[in-house]
Amino acid sequence: MAHAALEAAKAKAKERGTSPGYRRRAAGGGGGQNPRRRRWSGPGADPRDPQPLGRLVSRLVTDRGWNESVTTARVFAQWARLVGEDVAEHAQPVALKDGELTVRASSTAWATQLRLLQGKLLHKIAAGVGNGVVKRMRIQGPTAPSWRKGPRHVPGRGPRDTYG
């Protein structure tokens, strides 16, 4: 019986034009398998290949629509590198909304200095994060303590010395 099966295989191979024991490869190069079930990547580029982390994160950010949040975070995270260590020591970004960056200075003198440097700072930020992210700056001085405590307020002069 085995001898008859061997003779049948030889005859079938002769019809195909190949030697017995060898299968003809499919035109797709899949070795007779369904190409959708192939489990290896092969020499060419494939979406299943390992990808650099930066490329995957940027694709995720774009797909989810987080571009604006990420650029805002980059301004805050890289503030010292963007404006320089000496300016960053005396000024901190507070908010970035609709292209307007609010910066709080440590003193009124630094607030004045930042207003004078505003054009240069905008160019530095645009070079570091991209054009159009920060269109204008709003410089604030240090905030004074508020004497308003609680939800209600009575108009008047506020706290004063009543002991003399």
Side-chain angles (χ1 to χ4, degrees):
M1 187 178 221
H3 187 58
L6 178 62
E7 291 300 322
K10 283 182 181 179
K12 200 172 193 181
K14 197 172 201 177
E15 286 175 19
R16 285 192 312 244
T18 61
S19 3
Y22 295 102
R23 290 186 175 174
R24 185 190 308 171
R25 296 193 81 131
Q33 290 183 343
N34 185 350
R36 288 178 285 159
R37 294 192 57 180
R38 200 170 76 188
R39 291 185 174 91
W40 64 90
S41 176
D46 193 331
R48 296 172 294 163
D49 287 342
Q51 301 290 320
L53 183 63
R55 185 181 306 159
L56 292 174
V57 169
S58 66
R59 188 180 309 150
L60 177 71
V61 165
T62 304
D63 291 345
R64 302 283 174 134
W66 296 339
N67 288 331
E68 186 176 335
S69 300
V70 170
T71 52
T72 300
R74 284 180 59 201
V75 170
F76 283 80
Q78 299 175 358
W79 178 251
R81 188 184 61 80
L82 292 173
V83 298
E85 292 292 330
D86 53 342
V87 173
E89 190 175 323
H90 297 284
Q92 291 299 317
V94 177
L96 177 60
K97 189 171 183 180
D98 299 328
E100 182 178 69
L101 179 66
T102 305
V103 178
R104 178 160 297 129
S106 61
S107 67
T108 54
W110 268 101
T112 304
Q113 186 69 20
L114 289 174
R115 287 185 190 105
L116 294 173
L117 292 173
Q118 187 171 2
K120 289 182 182 179
L121 294 176
L122 285 172
H123 285 296
K124 285 182 176 181
I125 293 170
V129 227
N131 287 331
V133 176
V134 177
K135 297 172 187 162
R136 59 192 169 279
M137 291 176 71
R138 191 168 132 216
I139 314 289
Q140 296 178 341
T143 56
S146 172
W147 293 105
R148 288 186 178 198
K149 306 289 188 230
R152 294 185 177 89
H153 175 71
V154 176
R157 287 183 22 196
R160 54 200 161 274
D161 187 12
T162 57
Y163 300 106

